Structures are given as structure tokens and as C-alpha cells.
Amino acid sequence: MNVTNKGKATIIGGGIMGLTSAYYLLKSGWQVTLIDKGDLSDNCSQGNAGMIVPSHFIPLAAPGMISKGIKWMFDSRSPFYVKPSLDWGLVSWGLKFMKSATPANVERAAPYLRDYHLLSKQLYEDLAKEEGFDFGLEEKGILMLYKTEKAGEEEIHVAKDGQKLGLDIEMLTKEQVQAIEPNIKLDVIGAVHYHCDAHLYPTALFTQLLKYIKSKGAELVLNAKVKGFDIKNGEIKGVQTENKTIEGDLVIMTGGTWLPELSKLAGLSIPVMPGKGYSFMEPNSEHKIEHPALLIEARVAVTPMNGQVRFGGTMELAAVNDNINMNRVEGIVNSIPQYYPELNVAVPAKERIWYGFRPCSPDGLPYLGYSKKLKNLIVAGGHGMMGISLGPATGKMVAELANKSGLSADIKLYNPERYN
């Protein structure tokens, strides 16, 4: 079967969605041009926790986040912080978030998110077997560590819902969780072990995807901001950058937190708020951590990767900015010995702190699908904290949409124009 010359696809955005879309489009015979406003060194997914999370079948817009968010939003060290602002975009996003955060919406979304994540996990397993790909994929699951009875009750309730969805989940006592982390003392009262989850090393994944798409002839247009679109008869005929117009048959708009700006240039409204997160790396030697974990009360992620441990967390809703809020970082650092009392982690110097912006939709669900207004535009974005987890499934389904073939998962909840 000849899979060449399907046409020319222009991908906007070089984050995980852009790179995986390029990977699967190239595999199915498309010529690919990838445009990014930077040099691909600073996209959000590289510094994240590297977690593949079928456990995250509850969208960010869940009822409990409203009450917790209100309590946390005035504390700059809290896990969830809304920076005070008169920005109408934030207000509008917040109103949509509140409207979406209902039990009915959460229940409706759960099986769709489960299938999306499980598809991605399978695709990661397949990718890890391919020549040139070794990105530290480990299937040890993820531990949800909790210190209080209240947090434990909430986690076990969610875990039981996950079991009803067919996910492989185990509730652990304090002694059981300590037994599977023999090298480091834990100060917790229990954990939920999501055996269905996995983790990887994001930097290696990005490097290898980029090497692959270059080797297959993709054109990279870097440090190029999109200025507009040539639109005729309901189709995008060209993508305008500062220096040239790139013509093609198909446009894939990813763009992370820049998605609202990009979509506006195309006459669409796709709301996304930047959720700023921080991370840093520490040695994983004397008291070795074996399993990735989420510190539930603190909302901190802990991932062993590449011989080190990455600590990350916080969700700071504010405009994109280059400021490092040390209060946020201190919140992460202060939580670590509460769960791992043998770890004495100092507040890292600013140059060791990574930060990135998660593209958060108001209902906590991604945007994926064709535009109804522009018939050759596919949107793939708004994945929030689940970008790495949902990357391969998104890329594969972008290619399936491009090829007008059957989809590997149901995307009806992810209509990119649901707020138009």
C-alpha cells in the first residue's frame, strides 16, 4: 500500500501534541511542516512529571475544586492559586469552569477520559519498542499518598469509581505501602496504588520524537509567530508568519496556552487559561524512591526519572509571564518531608527551577476534532495537566482525522468549537 503524498499538513505548535501529530501524520504519508514561535526548548511538557494517568478520569472542573479553589486562591503557597486580576478572560473562564463543575459532567466524562488515557498508554508501549525510542517508560503505577482520614476517604471513593470503570487499582494500608517503598521512610496513613498508570522521562521522549520527524523530512519553521491565516471558501489556504506564508492542504492547530490567540486569528473562540506549574530535580540515591507518587493533600507530584527525582506541582492561574514565584516553589519543598521525613530538600536556586504553562480548558476536557467553520482545520489542545499522558493518542487521532479513517477513541466530548 502506498502511503505517500497524502498532502501537505501544517502543524502549529511544537509541544507534545504537535510532535506526536507530526509523528503519526508522517507515518501515514503526509508531508509535514511544523511551526513554533520558539526553538522547541521551552514547551510545557518537557518539565512535567512524566506521568501516564488513566487514574485521571475526573476532569479538573470537578465540584470539589470550587470549594478548594476558593480556600486556596488567597494563599500564594497553596496548590491552586488564582492570581488576583481584572482580566476579563480569567473571569469569563472562571464562570465557564463553575458552570462545568457538576457531578453529572464528571460522570459523563469519566469513561471517555479513561479510554483516551488507556489508548495513549498502549501507544507508548508500542512506541517504546520502536528503534530509536528509549524514553524511560516504566509501568510501576502511581501511588496516591495521603496523611489524613479525610483525604483517604476521598481517594478511596475515587478509586472505587475507577474500579467500576475497569481500572487496575489497589488500596494499601500504611504497612503495605511502606513495604513497596523499602528504601525510604514514609509518613502516611495509606495509599491508593493505580497499577494502570505509568511514567517516563519527558526530555528523552521529546528528543527522540524530534529526531524522528526530522529524519522523515518534516520541515521545521522555528522562532516564527503566526500572524494570520489566508482563508477562502471556508478553508485555510495559508498560514502567515512574520517572514512567509506557508501553504498546505490541512492545518493542525495545537499551540498550548497560545491556542486562544491562534484561534482568534482564524475567527474562532477557544478558551484556555495558562495554569503555571513548577518543577525541579534532586538526586535519587541514599533514600531511593521506587514509585512515582502524588502527595494528595499537598498536590505535589514525585517522579523518579533518569536517575533523579522530579518534584513538581502547583496550579497558578494567571497570564503568561516569566516570573518565578518562590512562594509556590517553597510550597512544594515544604511538603516533601511531610511525606518523606528522611528527605531534607532545600529550596532550589532559581536557575534550577523549571516552569511551564498548562493549557487548561474551562471544563477540564481537551479540544480535539475538525472545525465546523474551517473544514481543513483540526484543533488539538487544552489538555491541561494531562498533556504527556494524552500525547500519543492525540497524535494518532489527528492522523486518523486527517485520513478520514475510523477513530481509535470516541472524541465527541472534545468538540473544539463548543464555546463558540
Side-chain angles (χ1 to χ4, degrees):
M1 178 178 143
N2 182 12
V3 293
T4 58
N5 300 322
K6 289 275 182 70
K8 294 181 179 179
T10 305
I11 300 171
I12 305 171
I16 184 66
M17 302 309 159
L19 293 182
T20 53
S21 295
Y23 173 84
Y24 287 102
L25 284 166
L26 287 162
K27 283 225 162 214
S28 62
W30 287 81
Q31 291 176 258
V32 169
T33 299
L34 187 145
I35 307 169
D36 195 83
K37 63 181 177 56
D39 61 3
L40 303 185
S41 66
D42 62 347
N43 57 60
C44 176
S45 304
Q46 286 217 49
N48 84 357
M51 292 179 170
I52 303 161
V53 283
S55 57
H56 285 38
F57 56 85
I58 295 176
L60 180 65
M65 283 303 293
I66 301 294
S67 57
K68 286 176 182 172
I70 291 169
K71 180 181 75 176
W72 284 334
M73 67 185 288
F74 301 107
D75 178 0
S76 63
R77 283 185 173 83
S78 69
F80 185 83
Y81 177 57
V82 181
K83 190 173 182 179
S85 171
L86 296 175
D87 177 16
W88 170 246
L90 176 58
V91 174
S92 173
W93 186 95
L95 292 171
K96 291 182 179 75
F97 182 95
M98 291 171 72
K99 186 177 179 182
S100 300
T102 67
N105 283 346
V106 168
E107 189 174 344
R108 180 178 65 132
Y112 294 92
L113 286 173
R114 170 203 61 195
D115 292 348
Y116 200 168
H117 283 289
L118 288 174
L119 170 62
S120 237
K121 185 184 176 190
Q122 180 59 57
L123 292 171
Y124 271 126
E125 291 168 359
D126 296 342
L127 185 62
K129 294 171 188 168
E130 290 206 19
E131 187 178 344
F133 285 92
D134 179 10
F135 43 86
L137 179 66
E138 292 193 64
E139 300 193 47
K140 294 182 175 180
I142 292 175
L143 296 171
M144 308 295 178
L145 300 175
Y146 54 84
K147 294 177 64 67
T148 62
E149 295 288 351
K150 184 175 185 296
E153 287 170 12
E154 291 175 0
E155 282 307 306
I156 289 167
H157 176 77
V158 171
K160 287 179 177 176
D161 287 343
Q163 288 175 329
K164 288 175 191 171
L165 288 166
L167 297 175
D168 185 1
I169 304 166
E170 182 183 8
M171 287 69 145
L172 302 178
T173 64
K174 176 181 180 177
E175 291 75 23
Q176 288 172 320
V177 69
Q178 185 64 78
I180 64 170
E181 281 291 351
N183 303 314
I184 188 163
K185 183 180 177 182
L186 297 173
D187 186 2
V188 297
I189 64 170
V192 174
H193 193 179
Y194 282 85
H195 294 285
C196 53
D197 289 359
H199 72 285
L200 53 78
Y201 181 40
T203 303
L205 174 68
F206 270 76
T207 302
Q208 291 157 20
L209 280 171
L210 194 54
K211 184 178 179 182
Y212 176 90
I213 68 171
K214 284 179 178 177
S215 75
K216 297 301 177 183
E219 179 188 2
L220 301 184
V221 181
L222 303 182
N223 300 304
K225 191 170 181 181
V226 172
K227 293 292 189 179
F229 298 95
D230 290 341
I231 298 171
K232 292 176 186 170
N233 302 320
E235 285 193 9
I236 297 176
K237 299 295 185 181
V239 180
Q240 303 164 359
T241 69
E242 290 150 317
N243 297 321
K244 61 179 177 177
T245 296
I246 297 161
E247 297 179 347
D249 306 297
L250 181 70
V251 175
I252 297 92
M253 189 183 287
T254 67
T257 53
W258 301 103
L259 190 54
E261 185 180 318
L262 286 169
S263 63
K264 190 176 180 182
L265 292 172
L268 306 175
S269 174
I270 303 180
V272 164
M273 274 301 295
K276 193 175 192 177
Y278 299 91
S279 73
F280 56 90
M281 303 283 275
E282 294 290 331
N284 189 22
S285 49
E286 186 183 357
H287 302 290
K288 191 174 182 185
I289 296 172
E290 295 290 342
H291 293 78
L294 291 173
L295 314 182
I296 293 303
E297 293 88 349
R299 295 294 198 275
V300 166
V302 180
T303 316
M305 57 171 75
N306 198 41
Q308 297 178 288
V309 182
R310 175 166 287 161
F311 296 97
T314 83
M315 176 70 84
E316 178 184 322
L317 293 177
V320 171
N321 63 80
D322 293 325
N323 301 324
I324 293 179
N325 186 334
M326 292 305 292
N327 282 345
R328 316 289 297 138
V329 179
E330 286 170 16
I332 297 172
V333 171
N334 293 343
S335 71
I336 296 167
Q338 295 173 26
Y339 295 79
Y340 303 99
E342 292 171 325
L343 291 186
N344 183 20
V345 176
V347 176
K350 278 194 175 183
E351 58 268 20
R352 287 184 52 223
I353 299 167
W354 174 93
Y355 64 90
F357 300 91
R358 310 175 189 97
C360 300
S361 69
D363 58 6
L365 298 176
Y367 299 111
L368 179 60
Y370 271 105
S371 163
K372 288 186 173 65
K373 185 175 179 182
L374 299 168
K375 59 188 178 184
N376 68 333
L377 172 64
I378 297 171
V379 178
H383 292 76
M385 295 183 289
M386 303 180 293
I388 281 284
S389 187
L390 296 176
T394 302
K396 182 172 175 59
M397 289 194 284
V398 163
E400 290 168 348
L401 287 164
N403 297 323
K404 311 286 189 189
S405 60
L407 291 175
S408 297
D410 192 329
I411 64 170
K412 67 184 176 187
L413 294 190
Y414 313 134
N415 172 16
E417 291 169 353
R418 60 186 179 266
Y419 291 108
N420 279 261

